[in-house]
Amino acid sequence: QVQLVESGGGLVQAGGSLRLSCAASGRTFSINAMGWYRQPPGKQRELVAAITRGGSTNYADSVKGRFTISRDNAKNTVYLQMNSLKPEDTAVYYCNKVGVLGGDVWGQGTQVTVSS
């Protein structure tokens, strides 16, 4: 079992920046790759950034060049640096492993709201 706590969201103006943090605990040794997901209001959750155990990263086209995912293994924490934020980035952001299965637990998420 893995416990996930997201933080760092807030209200920002378009063009602003935020850094999200995801503190993971529990059986994290079983996770190969971690990702940041987001769920805009009324839409399905989507994966926007991922980082593997080896440090390789991948991004959705919608955030490429603006978002950067990173990890601090000593702190067991994954980060998402979000720059040049747009109103369409407004969503609840979650972290979780890549390849979430039924029965896997999600954290509370952190709300990101970008105003025009």
Side-chain angles (χ1 to χ4, degrees), residues 22-89:
C22 171
S25 61
R27 308 180 77 87
T28 57
F29 57 84
S30 66
I31 300 175
N32 182 52
M34 288 290 295
W36 281 97
Y37 301 76
R38 69 184 183 187
Q39 186 168 26
K43 296 184 178 181
Q44 293 183 322
R45 186 160 45 213
E46 63 174 343
L47 179 67
V48 298
I51 185 166
T52 69
R53 183 173 52 197
S56 297
T57 59
N58 201 6
Y59 301 92
D61 289 341
S62 59
V63 308
K64 192 173 299 182
R66 300 187 297 118
F67 291 10
T68 303
I69 188 171
S70 61
R71 65 197 305 172
D72 186 334
N73 291 329
K75 297 181 179 180
N76 216 7
T77 302
V78 182
Y79 303 95
L80 185 67
Q81 178 67 46
M82 306 186 296
N83 299 325
S84 302
L85 283 163
K86 304 175 181 179
E88 51 263 44
D89 295 320

Side-chain angles (χ1 to χ4, degrees), residues 8-11 18 20 39 41 90-93 108-114:
L11 174 63
L18 286 172
L20 308 183
Q39 186 168 26
T90 296
V92 179
Y93 284 72
Q108 82 284 359
T110 186
Q111 176 71 50
V112 172
T113 303
V114 185

